[in-house]
Structure formats: C-alpha cells, structure tokens
Amino acid sequence: MKTKQSGPIGRPRGFDADDALERAMLVFWEHGYEGASLARLTEAMGISAKSMYAAFGNKEELFHKALERYTEGPSAYLARALEEPTALGVATAILAGAVRTTTRPAHPHGCLGVQGALAASDSGRGVRDLLAAWRNNGCSRLRERFQRAVDDGDLPPDTDPGLLARYITTLAFGIAVQAASGVGRDELQEMADAALRTWPLL
Amino acid sequence: MKTKQSGPIGRPRGFDADDALERAMLVFWEHGYEGASLARLTEAMGISAKSMYAAFGNKEELFHKALERYTEGPSAYLARALEEPTALGVATAILAGAVRTTTRPAHPHGCLGVQGALAASDSGRGVRDLLAAWRNNGCSRLRERFQRAVDDGDLPPDTDPGLLARYITTLAFGIAVQAASGVGRDELQEMADAALRTWPLL
DNA sequence: CGACTTCTGCAGCGATCGCTGCAGAAATCG
DNA sequence: CGATTTCTGCAGCGATCGCTGCAGAAGTCG
C-alpha cells in the first residue's frame, strides 16, 4: 500500500543500498560476522559508518539483510533444487549447487550460512543462533520435499525422509567446510557424484 | 636429554599448566579462536594474563597448543580409527567418533578443528590456515589408510582412495556443523549408520 | 525563492581488544 | 642466611571495536 507516488521528501541517499548490501554480504561471507569489522564493511560498501547505520540499523541487522540476500542469491539453488521432479534430482541439484556456490572463483570460498558464525563470543550469539536456524530450516524444507516424494511413490514407502534430508544437508555443510579449506571444485563434484551413485539404497 | 635432575631454579609457577591448557582448549572449542577473549580464557584457566603469556607465549601459540591437546584428546578417535583392521571399520569408527565427540554432553558442541576459525579477520588468518591444514591432514592420513586397504585387497582395486577419504571427511565435517546447530547425537549416529550401509558400492 | 527534511563527513564516544612494565612476593640455589 | 631467579598481581599501554552527536551540505517541497 504505497500512498506516496513520488519519493520521500528530503535529500535522497547518495548510494545504491542494494549494491551496498551485496558488497556487505561478500565481506560477511569471507570474514564471518564477527570477523567483518565496521571499517572493512563500510569501506567495501563505499559509504560511511553513519550512512550504513541510517540505512540498515546496526551491524546485526545488516547481517540479517545480507543473509536474506545470500539466500535469494548465491543460495537460491536450494529453492530451485526443491522443484526438481524427482527426489534424486533434488539431491543431485543440491549437492551440485553447494559445490558450485562454495567454490566460485572470485567469490569467497565456503558458505555464508556455515562460516558466518559457527562459534562466536557473547556478542555474536544472536547471529550464531540465527544461522543455526537457517541451516535447520534448509534441512526441514528438504525433509518435507522427501516426504512428498515418499507420498508420491518416488521414494520407497519405508524411506525415512528426515534421515535422508539430514544426510544430504550434512554432505552439503561438509562440502562448505572442505571448500573453505581450499579443496577444489572438481574434486568435490566428483565426491558428490560418487555419494549419490548408490542412491536408491540409502 | 635432561641434564638437570632437579627443577629449574627460581620460583615455580603456581598453577598446573596442563590443567590450564585443557581449560583454554574448551574455551576455544566453544567460542572459536577470535571469539575467545583473553579475559575469558584467563578466567577459565584460573590465571592472570601475565602468567598465561609467560607460560604459553601469546594467544596464537596458546591456540596451537590447545589444538595439539584437542588432537590428542577429543579428536584421538581419528588415530585410533585408522588402526581398525578393515576400511569399513575405519570409516565406521571415524563417523562414530565424530558424532560422539561433537555431541558430548557438558562439552562444546561441534569440532574445534572446524569451528575454531572457518572465517576470520586478518588477525585470525594464521589460525584459519592452520586449521585448514589440520583438516586436510586428517583427510590425507585417511587417504593413505584407504590406499593401503586397496593394496591389501580389502578394497576393490578400482577404488579411488582419495575420493573415499574426501567423502568420509566431508561427512565428518558436516556432522560437526550439524552438531554445532544443535542436532542430537542419536539422529546423527543413525545418519552415519545409513551412510555406510551401502559401503562396498561407493 | 524560502522552508523543510534527510543525508553526509568529521570527530570522537566508552568499551574491549591483545599485550606488557613494574615492583614485590616466593621459591631455589650456594 | 643472602643472592639469584622466576612468578604473580596491578595497572595501564596503544589500537580497534561498534556506534553516535553535531553541523553543514544537498536534495525535495510549496
């Protein structure tokens, strides 16, 4: 319900908030929540600390919005994968997406949802819990998708969808750790292929 | 070659350095390298900052020694697992050890080698790289063990030991992430069991 | 134009960071 | 014992942390 058809009165901000958020996301991705200082963030965003606070609230809110951006951007392969017609297709797309996203050249290696804040000091507990919920949410959505596959007869009726979802997400998170360790894309993709070669038997 | 049979001259330190290191390891484990402040570390160790520096050098050296302690303690299951007689036994023991260690009650959840410093600021780059090397070293030792299994005929001759080692370590690191997210021990162990049920076919 | 609103750059807040100088206490030597 | 050596507690170092008050610039309104 937008009542004003022209922009808000007053001086408009002199930077592109979307661009700035994208750059902030990359800094969080590379250095983690607590490892990304305001100085480094604002420098990458091309704005002053004051402008960042005016536009995004504070560091934690900035991270929240950066995580949303990450979910809709680099991590969008998950939502797309869930729409694959078969459970095997879903699993294959998720692992391939994880490998691709965590080993993109000229991008930080690893996954923001994993290395954003696995362990943290007290001040980072909020973000750490947010990311834990983010990861568990991904697992839950996958479980629901596999449940549907069981209902549809795509997976054997004795399949445990929760266990299967936990297995695939465990591999995906493990891939993110390996990528952060510098393991290359090809090796991880080969490993993902091998892991799904025994598919119907899990 | 110890030449002095009596202790060194001068006042001996008034605390147990082994105890202090153990407590420091637990703090690093829970909060990560950068998330563990000197104040929190020294409080847990029961000594002053000055004593810590005299005994361990600085924060980074303290972390190095804490990681050694972790390797010989909570993570000793890896070395034990490598001595299992069969490759399947090795893999089973590694995953079971990972599940147990990352979900121990009254201990930090997750793995120090993973959440100690996955992403970090500039000042944590040394430790981040150290941990990446630590993880890759575990993978290499597992690969060598699987290579031996191939040579001994325990694994089929067309098995790729590197790929298999990468798969098992990926699962182990994924388990560490899941544990850090609060996933319970039983669910993870069930998942590990299921992952190895198709063993000879990878 | 003048009135109004918002954004921007500067400077700096209090708190915490890892780390250390100093003086005295405490232990081991001859 | 005195001499020597090391450890300990206190206080505080400079740097950085996330964050903000203020004044003026810069834009949108009637």
Side-chain angles (χ1 to χ4, degrees):
Chain A
M1 175 128 34
K2 286 200 173 185
T3 55
K4 28 188 169 182
Q5 61 187 43
S6 64
I9 51 181
R11 176 178 172 183
R13 64 167 63 102
F15 61 94
D16 186 327
D18 256 27
D19 263 20
L21 182 56
E22 182 81 17
R23 292 164 191 268
M25 180 203 69
L26 290 171
V27 174
F28 280 131
W29 189 355
E30 179 170 2
H31 298 288
Y33 174 66
E34 294 191 305
S37 69
L38 258 301
R40 193 193 290 266
L41 283 165
T42 53
E43 186 197 348
M45 298 166 85
I47 61 178
S48 71
K50 207 78 199 11
S51 299
M52 190 282 282
Y53 278 89
F56 299 100
N58 60 22
K59 189 186 178 185
E60 187 160 347
E61 288 184 47
L62 176 64
F63 184 87
H64 282 229
K65 282 154 187 157
L67 181 61
E68 290 176 18
R69 168 64 58 99
Y70 182 80
T71 304
E72 299 160 3
S75 183
Y77 68 85
L78 174 61
R80 269 182 268 119
L82 292 174
E83 295 174 2
E84 287 285 325
T86 67
L88 175 56
V90 172
T92 305
I94 286 178
L95 294 190
V99 170
R100 277 182 49 85
T101 298
T102 60
T103 60
R104 275 243 291 270
H107 277 69
H109 288 177
C111 170
L112 173 61
V114 173
Q115 69 205 24
L118 251 198
S121 71
D122 289 337
S123 72
R125 182 160 298 166
V127 167
R128 191 199 57 176
D129 294 347
L130 170 73
L131 288 183
W134 183 87
R135 291 191 295 268
N136 286 329
N137 176 60
C139 188
S140 294
R141 288 165 65 193
L142 184 56
R143 186 193 66 235
E144 289 161 12
R145 176 64 185 82
F146 283 152
Q147 178 65 60
R148 190 155 62 83
V150 172
D151 295 342
D152 293 353
D154 176 29
L155 285 174
D158 63 332
T159 305
D160 181 339
L163 207 61
L164 199 53
R166 197 60 81 183
Y167 172 69
I168 296 297
T169 53
T170 299
L171 275 175
F173 297 152
I175 285 167
V177 174
Q178 301 278 22
S181 312
V183 180
R185 170 177 293 195
D186 294 346
E187 180 175 356
L188 290 177
Q189 185 57 57
E190 274 186 63
M191 192 268 304
D193 292 342
L196 292 181
R197 206 163 289 148
T198 63
W199 172 256
L201 299 180
L202 185 70
Chain B
M1 176 125 34
K2 287 200 173 183
T3 56
K4 29 188 169 182
Q5 62 188 40
S6 66
I9 54 180
R11 176 179 172 183
R13 63 167 63 102
F15 61 95
D16 185 328
D18 255 29
D19 264 20
L21 182 57
E22 181 82 16
R23 293 164 191 269
M25 179 204 70
L26 290 170
V27 174
F28 281 131
W29 190 354
E30 179 169 3
H31 299 288
Y33 173 65
E34 294 191 305
S37 69
L38 259 300
R40 192 192 290 266
L41 283 164
T42 52
E43 187 197 348
M45 298 166 85
I47 62 178
S48 71
K50 207 76 198 10
S51 299
M52 190 283 280
Y53 278 89
F56 300 100
N58 60 22
K59 189 187 179 186
E60 187 159 347
E61 289 184 45
L62 176 64
F63 185 86
H64 282 229
K65 283 154 187 158
L67 181 61
E68 291 176 17
R69 169 63 58 98
Y70 182 80
T71 304
E72 299 160 2
S75 184
Y77 68 86
L78 175 60
R80 269 182 269 118
L82 292 175
E83 295 173 1
E84 288 284 327
T86 68
L88 176 56
V90 172
T92 305
I94 286 176
L95 294 189
V99 169
R100 277 182 50 86
T101 298
T102 60
T103 60
R104 277 243 292 272
H107 278 68
H109 288 177
C111 169
L112 173 62
V114 173
Q115 68 205 23
L118 250 197
S121 71
D122 289 335
S123 72
R125 181 160 300 166
V127 167
R128 191 199 58 177
D129 295 346
L130 171 73
L131 288 183
W134 183 87
R135 293 190 296 269
N136 286 329
N137 175 60
C139 188
S140 294
R141 288 164 64 193
L142 185 55
R143 187 194 64 233
E144 290 161 12
R145 177 64 186 82
F146 283 153
Q147 178 64 62
R148 187 154 65 83
V150 172
D151 295 343
D152 294 351
D154 176 28
L155 284 175
D158 63 332
T159 306
D160 182 338
L163 206 61
L164 199 52
R166 197 59 81 182
Y167 172 70
I168 296 297
T169 53
T170 298
L171 274 175
F173 298 151
I175 285 167
V177 174
Q178 301 277 22
S181 311
V183 180
R185 169 178 292 195
D186 294 346
E187 180 174 355
L188 291 178
Q189 185 58 56
E190 273 186 64
M191 192 269 301
D193 292 343
L196 292 181
R197 206 164 289 148
T198 63
W199 172 255
L201 299 180
L202 185 69

